[in-house]
Amino acid sequence: MGSFGQLSSLLAISFWLLTSISPNGVCLAAPAESRPPTKSLDWRPCPAPTPSGVSCAKLPVPIDWTKPDGPKVTLALNKIAAGNPKKRIGSLLFNPGGPGGPTAQVVAQFGPQGGLFSKSIWEHFDVIGMDPRGVAASEGIKCDHTLFNKRVSLFPTDEDSFNKMVEHWTAFGESCLEKTGPLLKHMDTRSTARDIDAVRKALGEAKLTFVGFSYGLEDLKAESLSYEQTLERFFIWASENPKSPLKGQNVARLFDEIVKRADEKPLPAPGCGEECQPDVTGEEIRFNLQQFVKYKDPSPPRETWIDGAKYLATTFKGDGSDISTLKAHKDSEDIFWSHAVQCSDWKHVDTLDTIRERTKVMKRLSAHTQGASVAWTIQTSCIGWPVPVANPEHKINVKNAPPTLLVNSYFDPVTPYSYAQGLQEQIEGSVLLTRNGVGHSSYPLEGEARQLMDTFLLNGTLPEVNTIVNS
């Protein structure tokens, strides 16, 4: 296990650490024999249309960290310098999760005026955005988007449908390898952790503060249950909230009915044009709604529960345009970047019998969603991936960590609370801050949780153990 000693503090929010960093040691320093020469960063004004005040730089790192003198991948970074240089604490490296989120774009777009962080954070830190390897400007992974847009069920019921699924995802994976090359074999988050430490060295910083959102453990049962529980709360909210177009209706019953109807005959999606699929199946409705119940309260630019209610209201009328699956339009898109990371980090199913058994379990546990979730997508769509799983999920035992704060809501439809608890137990001295609420990520809500996070980032003060907040 690598040392945490080169991080000054660590903050994970709903709850990025489990696979993206900590299983292999946060910002794990490369062994002596694999450390590349230290490089400095040449910060220059970013090209248009990036706002003024944002600097850009590039850093080449080994594609394969066991071969430091081998081929390189160039990381794209940007920086917004501390607003008050006299009070500067250091550098804060941010990752929005995804995985595969275009971090540099997020930092530039939602800078000091955009609400990404509190004013005090912008004043005291140089905020660094790093597009992870194979993401966006860091040589984004490329795949055949026309293959991706072909549709197959992720719940095969017989040999024919299973073989079609395997053939589809095998062909798609092979297209990624052909278009991307050797980098595809090294998209795991262990490699990204080493990249982060290379950035720290290039910044000339002895220590680094890291803040990560999302991308928690995609455990199949836990995530499916968390999604199902969140969905049940959403149904009640949508039937009672005065602003909901579904007020006064039995939303849960209507949802189950429309899913069944769309499974029998896909609902047309006439408003899609070239943006999304021309119709939507019941299976796709169950998968796609997860994205619309992630955030209950307004958190621009994210869609929230009120949007989910509006989309379902249209769907209940027989128009699936609002909930149809988006198409990919080019060979390098965020869905491909995310897919490459997930298939490098998670073990997946490989037999029809396994899928059948897990389908039975999921239907018993999740009456409405029947197991449809991000975790199920990884389990099935990574089948036939052309490179080995480089960083499979596993328990950790982290000693001598820097001050570490984890934050999770009780009802997060994507990253379950139970695994935030599990991670906290595996990082010695870490603290789990609990938000008694619904939704994915707490910092954007600007409530009590954000105040405690800011306090931690600014002066290192962790909340008391077992602290629970309501906002």
Side-chain angles (χ1 to χ4, degrees):
M1 180 57 58
S3 170
F4 282 80
Q6 292 157 338
L7 286 182
S8 59
S9 59
L10 184 65
L11 173 63
I13 306 171
S14 293
F15 111 110
W16 197 76
L17 283 182
L18 193 52
T19 59
S20 296
I21 296 292
S22 57
N24 307 292
V26 174
C27 291
L28 184 65
E33 68 274 15
S34 65
R35 290 180 181 172
T38 300
K39 297 178 176 64
S40 60
L41 295 170
D42 180 17
W43 294 105
R44 301 187 180 189
C46 298
T50 305
S52 60
V54 185
S55 301
C56 286
K58 294 184 178 296
L59 179 68
V61 296
I63 288 178
D64 182 350
W65 273 97
T66 67
K67 300 176 181 178
D69 297 323
K72 302 293 191 288
V73 56
T74 300
L75 304 177
L77 302 103
N78 66 3
K79 176 179 72 172
I80 298 179
N84 190 334
K86 293 183 179 180
K87 294 184 178 181
R88 180 183 180 275
I89 294 173
S91 292
L92 183 156
L93 193 143
F94 170 66
N95 188 295
T103 311
Q105 177 184 329
V106 172
V107 169
Q109 185 176 355
F110 301 102
Q113 308 305 319
L116 180 62
F117 292 110
S118 302
K119 181 180 178 181
S120 57
I121 301 300
W122 292 109
E123 288 182 347
H124 288 82
F125 286 97
D126 293 345
V127 176
I128 309 293
M130 180 193 85
D131 284 346
R133 56 173 50 216
V135 172
S138 293
E139 303 184 26
I141 293 296
K142 295 180 180 179
C143 306
D144 188 331
H145 74 279
T146 59
L147 278 177
F148 178 81
N149 288 334
K150 294 180 179 180
R151 298 151 76 186
V152 294
S153 172
L154 297 183
F155 285 92
T157 57
D158 53 31
E159 289 290 345
D160 183 57
S161 56
F162 176 74
N163 290 336
K164 286 180 180 178
M165 184 186 77
V166 173
E167 290 169 5
H168 170 78
W169 290 112
T170 299
F172 176 73
E174 291 291 348
S175 81
C176 300
L177 183 60
E178 179 182 352
K179 290 178 177 291
T180 300
L183 178 59
L184 194 73
K185 300 178 182 179
H186 302 280
M187 284 296 294
D188 59 288
T189 48
R190 179 183 179 91
S191 296
T192 297
R194 292 178 181 271
D195 295 345
I196 292 173
D197 196 54
V199 170
R200 178 195 61 79
K201 295 175 187 176
L203 287 167
E205 302 273 10
K207 296 181 179 181
L208 186 69
T209 295
F210 177 83
V211 175
F213 293 177
S214 191
Y215 192 32
L217 177 62
E218 305 293 354
D219 176 86
L220 181 57
K221 291 182 181 178
E223 191 206 334
S224 296
L225 279 172
S226 190
Y227 174 26
E228 182 80 9
Q229 291 167 351
T230 301
L231 198 59
E232 290 171 351
R233 284 165 174 77
F234 165 76
F235 289 154
I236 295 172
W237 176 92
S239 67
E240 296 177 349
N241 190 283
K243 296 182 179 180
S244 169
L246 299 172
K247 186 179 185 299
Q249 302 182 56
N250 187 331
V251 182
R253 179 177 59 79
L254 290 172
F255 176 81
D256 291 340
E257 289 175 354
I258 200 67
V259 165
K260 181 180 179 181
R261 175 179 160 191
D263 273 334
E264 294 171 350
K265 181 180 181 180
L267 300 180
C272 276
E274 292 301 316
E275 290 302 309
C276 46
Q277 298 291 354
D279 55 33
V280 61
T281 67
E283 177 181 317
E284 290 167 339
I285 292 173
R286 290 185 281 120
F287 275 111
N288 295 347
L289 188 60
Q290 187 174 17
Q291 297 304 311
F292 304 131
V293 298
K294 285 170 67 175
Y295 306 100
K296 179 181 179 181
D297 300 305
S299 181
R302 301 174 179 91
E303 291 165 303
T304 60
W305 281 17
I306 190 64
D307 298 300
K310 292 176 181 177
Y311 299 158
L312 275 187
T314 303
T315 304
F316 291 163
K317 294 176 182 178
D319 182 348
S321 302
D322 289 332
I323 206 165
S324 178
T325 303
L326 293 174
K327 291 181 179 179
H329 292 89
K330 54 184 185 297
D331 284 350
S332 187
E333 293 203 6
D334 55 359
I335 186 66
F336 305 154
W337 312 332
S338 178
H339 192 74
V341 177
Q342 291 167 333
C343 292
S344 299
D345 280 348
W346 307 103
K347 291 176 286 189
H348 42 268
V349 299
D350 55 7
T351 68
L352 176 59
D353 287 342
T354 301
I355 290 177
R356 283 173 168 166
E357 183 60 33
R358 292 185 180 181
T359 299
K360 291 178 183 178
V361 173
M362 290 301 101
K363 285 185 176 181
R364 289 197 299 268
L365 294 176
S366 310
H368 300 298
T369 63
Q370 300 175 43
S373 63
V374 173
W376 187 272
T377 301
I378 297 170
Q379 290 280 302
T380 51
S381 66
C382 288
I383 197 168
W385 193 243
V387 298
V389 178
N391 180 39
E393 64 275 23
H394 57 279
K395 290 186 177 182
I396 60 174
N397 183 24
V398 179
K399 306 293 184 181
N400 302 316
T404 304
L405 176 62
L406 311 175
V407 186
N408 218 91
S409 67
Y410 275 136
F411 303 106
D412 185 323
V414 181
T415 50
Y417 182 76
S418 60
Y419 278 88
Q421 292 176 304
L423 177 59
Q424 189 275 323
E425 293 171 357
Q426 296 172 58
I427 302 179
E428 185 179 64
S430 64
V431 170
L432 172 60
L433 172 62
T434 301
R435 179 169 62 84
N436 182 18
V438 177
H440 185 59
S441 296
S442 298
Y443 194 90
L445 301 180
E446 301 185 17
E448 298 170 83
R450 174 185 267 203
Q451 294 174 18
L452 291 172
M453 294 179 221
D454 285 346
T455 298
F456 169 64
L457 290 171
L458 292 169
N459 60 34
T461 302
L462 285 163
E464 293 292 328
V465 175
N466 297 325
T467 295
I468 301 173
V469 296
N470 293 314
S471 63

